[in-house]
């Protein structure tokens, strides 16, 4: 059974096929209007969402299917203490595919072990957001025409920004990619990701502190919100916040064909005066999200119909170990609150990391 928990669950070839399918859906929408007639998508959203949840709902409806589920964990049996594993065992009786957003990192991975139907990670804590990554890739493809040999600046909260983590992983498999990380010291990309990027021969990257110093180089500027709540000191936040607000003045040195992406919601990191700039692609990005989710749901349902065997535990390669001696220290990880197998991956740096959230094991 195939799931989408992390962007790397798909090969580059499979991603390209899903993006090509999304473009075919855009060009021939009527052809797919009853493609999943009689099928049901369950949207299990344990934390708030506007774009992602409605995008999944719209995607399934436009494929001719139906949607069930919940948009608030307090309205589900999770409020009574039901585990993720038990919830998906129940949901599989009613639905053909699941889209799950959860505040606990690794929850969709746990769900995939027990669901018996395809599971799509619609965002797990600060960990990963693979369908946003597919959305970003489709937008880049439609706007720029290719992925290779692009310089991409990621700006804002790179430490907790799951969309940033997922997109960097996906782009690292293409050639000639240059990544520029623009953030305050407090919100730098996590060390484990910096190590992985350093080990990737396809990827060139560097860190800077302001977008102005690199703006002329960028083909894509990926904005995220600098989150005040992540700072212990209000004065420190006030010192850096204006460096990460995009306005027309900062765009004066940008390439004429650069595109601006943002996973949304936006607070104040892109001023309203930028919205009418043709380089502002973030609302086009939202619409692309619906089409790429249509393509993903369609593809996963097709793969499920091929009757690939379902395993109650994920198929891990030799890098993964199951250990009762190691523990994940991340309180936001599903392994710290539910009875799950303790699974770890040994990275290229020799450090064992939790398979659910990638935190360094203890």
């Amino acid at each position: 059974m195939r799931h989408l928990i992390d962007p790397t669950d798909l090969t580059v070839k499979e991603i390209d096929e899903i993006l090509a399918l999304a473009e075919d859906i855009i060009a021939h929408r009527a052809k797919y209007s009853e493609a999943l007639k009689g099928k049901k998508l369950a949207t299990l959203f344990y934390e708030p969402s506007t774009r992602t949840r409605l995008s999944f709902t719209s995607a399934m409806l436009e494929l001719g299917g139906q949607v069930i589920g919940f948009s608030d964990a307090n309205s589900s049996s999770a409020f009574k203490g039901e585990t993720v594993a038990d919830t998906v065992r129940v949901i599989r009786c009613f639905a053909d595919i699941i889209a799950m957003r959860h505040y606990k990192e690794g929850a969709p991975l746990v769900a995939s072990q027990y669901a018996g139907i395809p599971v799509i990670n619609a965002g797990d804590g600060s960990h990963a957001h693979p369908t946003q990554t597919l959305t970003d890739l489709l937008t880049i493809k439609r706007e720029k025409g290719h992925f290779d040999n692009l310089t991409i600046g990621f700006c804002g909260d790179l430490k907790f920004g799951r969309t940033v983590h997922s997109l960097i992983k996906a782009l690292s498999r293409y050639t000639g990619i240059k990544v520029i990380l623009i953030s305050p010291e407090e919100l730098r990309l996590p060390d484990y990701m910096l190590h992985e990027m350093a080990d990737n021969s396809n990827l060139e990257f560097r860190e800077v502190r302001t977008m102005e110093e690199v703006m002329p180089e960028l083909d894509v500027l990926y904005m995220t919100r600098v989150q005040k709540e992540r700072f212990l000191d209000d004065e420190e936040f006030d010192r850096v916040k204006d460096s990460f607000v995009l306005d027309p003045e900062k765009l004066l040195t940008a390439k004429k064909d650069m595109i601006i992406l943002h996973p949304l919601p936006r607070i104040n990191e892109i001023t309203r005066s930028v919205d009418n700039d043709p380089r502002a692609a973030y609302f086009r990005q939202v619409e692309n999200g619906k089409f790429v989710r249509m393509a993903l749901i369609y593809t996963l349902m097709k793969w499920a119909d091929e009757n690939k065997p379902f395993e109650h535990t994920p198929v891990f390669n030799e890098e993964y170990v199951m250990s009762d001696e190691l523990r994940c220290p991340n309180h936001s990880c599903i392994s710290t609150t539910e009875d799950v197998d303790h699974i770890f991956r040994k990275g290229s740096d020799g450090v064992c990391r939790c398979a659910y959230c990638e935190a360094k094991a203890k």
Side-chain angles (χ1 to χ4, degrees), residues 129-164:
H129 197 348
T131 64
Q132 181 64 48
T133 298
L134 292 175
T135 298
D136 300 339
L137 290 174
L138 179 60
T139 305
I140 293 170
K141 184 180 181 185
R142 296 188 73 195
E143 298 281 335
K144 304 298 293 182
H146 61 95
F147 300 122
D148 295 331
N149 304 310
L150 291 174
T151 298
I152 302 170
F154 292 91
C155 181
D157 179 2
L158 310 188
K159 182 175 183 180
F160 300 100
R162 60 190 172 196
T163 60
V164 171

Side-chain angles (χ1 to χ4, degrees), residues 273-291:
S273 52
V274 173
D275 292 352
N276 291 329
D277 190 305
R279 293 169 290 191
Y282 31 90
F283 291 115
R284 300 193 292 274
Q285 186 180 359
V286 172
E287 187 173 25
N288 286 332
K290 177 184 69 174
F291 295 119

Side-chain angles (χ1 to χ4, degrees), residues 81-126:
E82 184 173 61
T83 64
V84 166
D86 283 358
T87 295
V88 298
R89 282 179 171 127
V90 170
I91 296 299
R92 67 180 289 182
C93 301
F94 311 133
D96 302 287
I97 186 168
I98 291 171
M100 173 183 283
R101 169 165 288 186
H102 205 289
Y103 51 88
K104 286 290 185 180
E105 297 171 17
L109 177 58
V110 172
S112 72
Q113 298 176 46
Y114 297 96
I117 57 177
V119 173
I120 301 171
N121 180 2
D124 61 329
S126 298

Side-chain angles (χ1 to χ4, degrees), residues 106 109 127 316 320 343-345 353-359:
L109 177 58
H127 181 228
F316 293 107
Y320 289 87
I343 305 169
F344 301 88
R345 177 177 64 88
R353 300 189 180 279
C354 175
Y356 301 103
C357 71
E358 300 185 78

Side-chain angles (χ1 to χ4, degrees), residues 334-355:
I334 192 74
S335 68
T336 63
T337 56
E338 294 197 9
D339 181 15
V340 300
D341 292 328
H342 295 280
I343 305 169
F344 301 88
R345 177 177 64 88
K346 189 171 184 179
S348 59
D349 56 0
V351 174
C352 284
R353 300 189 180 279
C354 175

